[in-house]
Amino acid sequence: ALLKEFPNGKMASQAKLYLANSLYNMASYNEALALFKALQNESYDEDIRMTARYQTGWCYYNMHKDKEAVDVFTQFLKDYPSADLTPDVRFWFGEYYHSKAKYDMAKEYFTSILKDFPSSDIIENTLYQLVLILSEEGKTDEAMAWIKELDSKFPGSALAKAAYKRVTFWSNLEKIKK
């Protein structure tokens, strides 16, 4: 109804963004993608265009179109290097490369979050991801150093405890193999 009454302007863009997000949350990625792409081109509101681009990347990823997701998120980082969503995109890249066993690239993205966005709300998860990668690489001492960092920044953190268990598991597994 709102879109019919006010087909243009900020309210229409907001309504389309809400509709696109609803479709995304219902896993109707093709429909959501069409709306997100339209918003990128037609909205006068830069925040809406930025959010639409971010969500476009997620649509592609959830549609198992990794190349398209990588392309969208790469361009996002170029166009919005210091936006509020930038640490989340970098985190996505870190997880993406971690899942592909491209550990150096994953660590690069995770450490860039720590360096460039030290007060981000994803720092705890970022530190945890670094520990996991180092553990998988067999770099137990480095992983333990990051666990100390995690524990000092987030005392009593469940992730710090889980990281410690994970590192000791991997470390013990390596000892058994030898």
Side-chain angles (χ1 to χ4, degrees):
L2 181 64
L3 288 173
K4 288 179 183 175
E5 192 170 335
F6 302 100
N8 300 312
K10 186 172 181 165
M11 287 182 67
S13 290
Q14 287 175 336
K16 286 179 187 177
L17 184 62
Y18 288 131
L19 176 58
N21 280 324
S22 294
L23 291 166
Y24 174 87
N25 289 328
M26 294 181 343
S28 297
Y29 302 121
N30 284 318
E31 293 175 77
L33 182 62
L35 282 172
F36 288 132
K37 284 183 168 184
L39 284 166
Q40 290 175 56
N41 296 321
E42 67 190 34
S43 179
Y44 297 107
D45 185 308
E46 181 62 29
D47 287 337
I48 289 175
R49 286 197 314 269
M50 178 184 62
T51 301
R53 173 124 28 116
Y54 174 80
Q55 289 298 104
T56 296
W58 279 108
C59 280
Y60 280 131
Y61 179 71
N62 284 295
M63 295 166 71
H64 306 289
K65 295 183 177 187
D66 289 4
K67 183 196 176 310
E68 290 85 349
V70 167
D71 290 346
V72 168
F73 285 140
T74 297
Q75 191 60 47
F76 183 96
L77 292 177
K78 288 178 184 173
D79 293 343
Y80 305 103
S82 59
D84 289 343
L85 293 171
T86 298
D88 294 324
V89 174
R90 289 186 189 181
F91 192 89
W92 180 85
F93 271 114
E95 286 190 312
Y96 176 77
Y97 287 119
H98 182 193
S99 74
K100 305 287 186 204
K102 294 183 178 183
Y103 298 130
D104 287 340
M105 292 179 78
K107 288 186 294 190
E108 187 176 315
Y109 278 102
F110 288 130
T111 56
S112 76
I113 296 168
L114 299 175
K115 181 178 144 259
D116 298 336
F117 300 93
S119 60
S120 171
D121 61 356
I122 60 172
I123 293 297
E124 183 178 13
N125 287 313
T126 301
L127 290 165
Y128 178 72
Q129 290 295 322
L130 283 168
V131 169
L132 295 183
I133 292 168
L134 291 164
S135 177
E136 290 170 29
E137 291 180 311
K139 298 178 179 176
T140 304
D141 291 342
E142 285 183 61
M144 292 302 278
W146 282 109
I147 290 172
K148 287 180 184 172
E149 177 81 10
L150 178 58
D151 194 46
S152 72
K153 287 189 177 188
F154 303 94
S157 162
L159 286 179
K161 291 173 186 165
Y164 180 78
K165 288 178 183 176
R166 183 84 177 254
V167 170
T168 55
F169 169 79
W170 283 99
S171 177
N172 290 332
L173 187 62
E174 288 299 315
K175 289 176 187 173
I176 292 170
K177 286 181 181 178
K178 292 179 183 177

